[in-house]
Amino acid sequence: MTIVPVNRRAFIKSSAAVTAGLVLSPAIIGRAEAATLKLKCSSSLPNDPKYANGRVYYDNLVKNLKGNGLGEQVEVAFFPDNQLGQEIDVINSVKLGVIDLMVSGSSISANLVPLVGTFDLGFLFSSFPQQTKAFDAGAAKPIEDALLKGGNIRIIAWAYNFGSRSVLAKKPVKTPEDLAGLKIRTLPNPVITECLRLMGAAATPLAFGEIYTALQAGVLDGLEHDPPTILASKFFETSKFYALTQHNFSPLAIYFSDMTYNRMDPKLREGFLDAAKKAAADTRAHGLAVEKEALAALGEKGVTVAECDREAFKKRVAPQIENFIKARPDSKAVIDIVRATQA
């Protein structure tokens, strides 16, 4: 296991040097890969082995690589807590092959390939198990193909964010009227931003690493996220009311650079991908269990966790899906599969 504290500027310089070495010395690289393949894995979340999905996935990946007999052949270095930059920079680095792996929600890659934003549509999924059934039925394939073609990035496995996304605010929120005018942080993603706007909020896109200080300074009135992330990132210290809007069951994607994929020895790659998929299944099980525990822990931290008029929010967001289909007709096949899938 390698969890690396790193200076971002030093990382970028060293990555440039490594990239140059790849071009100039293919024979050396071939010998090095035969010994140990070294990969970099990035996550924006804290280095929390229980509540942070990136660290949980990484631990499961290391375990399954060892289980597949690849513990000595593949070394994965883990960089949590935005060490390699904000997510929008990291996803571009994965595209370019500078970073090999990234554990994050599907939302961030919609900035590269807009079709991925299908999975961000408000109230599209009814639960995470329903999501998995829909993906198994074929809903994920067009998204995966589009990201590979348009971004040179493979999604090698799907897991769950650790709970559905709901609204944490500095005042109680029960109806769309309560949300009106509140500056609620969203991902820098137009689909999620539009969802929160339709729900009634003054949706405010902001990088993950900037949320806490913005809440402290009063720039934000709250955010939308899952319970374990709120707990791990200590957002509960700034906002004390969690409304269970459950407007988004955001899938967790394991992004893999296509450049890394293509330079791996096929036999090694097969074992690695098998371990990556097993790690995703383990992470899904962990995520389902830990959401309830995180909600209870938030209550112990002084957060009021409350039901809200979810149907009122859902009704206001309903036009988003039809408008998205009109703008991106290729999303209809994906949405139809999701809608036809029962939990």
Side-chain angles (χ1 to χ4, degrees), residues 7-26:
N7 176 283
R8 186 185 171 203
R9 186 171 298 174
F11 166 75
I12 293 171
K13 289 182 179 179
S14 65
S15 295
V18 169
T19 303
L22 285 172
V23 175
L24 295 173
S25 307

Side-chain angles (χ1 to χ4, degrees), residues 28-51:
I28 294 174
I29 294 302
R31 289 196 297 272
E33 285 189 344
T36 302
L37 177 65
K38 296 186 178 182
L39 305 176
K40 304 180 190 73
C41 178
S42 176
S43 170
S44 66
L45 298 188
N47 190 28
D48 188 314
K50 185 173 185 179
Y51 292 120

Side-chain angles (χ1 to χ4, degrees), residues 16 25 32 35 173 214 230 238 245 317:
S25 307
V173 172
I230 289 169
T238 68
T245 55
V317 174

Side-chain angles (χ1 to χ4, degrees), residues 205-223:
L206 194 68
F208 187 87
E210 300 172 13
I211 297 173
Y212 190 93
T213 53
L215 288 166
Q216 277 187 318
V219 175
L220 294 175
D221 298 310
L223 71 148

Side-chain angles (χ1 to χ4, degrees), residues 1-137:
M1 177 184 295
T2 307
I3 300 173
V4 186
V6 69
N7 176 283
R8 186 185 171 203
R9 186 171 298 174
F11 166 75
I12 293 171
K13 289 182 179 179
S14 65
S15 295
V18 169
T19 303
L22 285 172
V23 175
L24 295 173
S25 307
I28 294 174
I29 294 302
R31 289 196 297 272
E33 285 189 344
T36 302
L37 177 65
K38 296 186 178 182
L39 305 176
K40 304 180 190 73
C41 178
S42 176
S43 170
S44 66
L45 298 188
N47 190 28
D48 188 314
K50 185 173 185 179
Y51 292 120
N53 54 48
R55 171 64 191 275
V56 171
Y57 179 80
Y58 170 74
D59 288 346
N60 283 323
L61 178 60
V62 170
K63 177 189 71 176
N64 282 289
L65 284 171
K66 291 179 179 177
N68 282 5
L70 300 178
E72 301 299 321
Q73 297 180 60
V74 181
E75 179 183 321
V76 184
F78 181 56
F79 299 86
D81 208 17
N82 289 307
Q83 287 182 15
L84 302 185
Q86 299 296 340
E87 287 189 309
I88 189 63
D89 300 317
V90 173
I91 195 73
N92 277 290
S93 292
V94 175
K95 177 181 179 179
L96 297 172
V98 176
I99 297 173
D100 307 290
L101 282 159
M102 179 184 185
V103 182
S104 183
S106 61
S107 309
I108 195 65
S109 59
N111 292 287
L112 298 179
V113 178
L115 182 64
V116 184
T118 306
F119 292 157
D120 296 323
L121 291 166
F123 300 96
L124 175 65
F125 299 104
S126 60
S127 69
F128 280 119
Q130 184 251 356
Q131 180 184 100
T132 294
K133 289 182 179 180
F135 285 7
D136 289 345

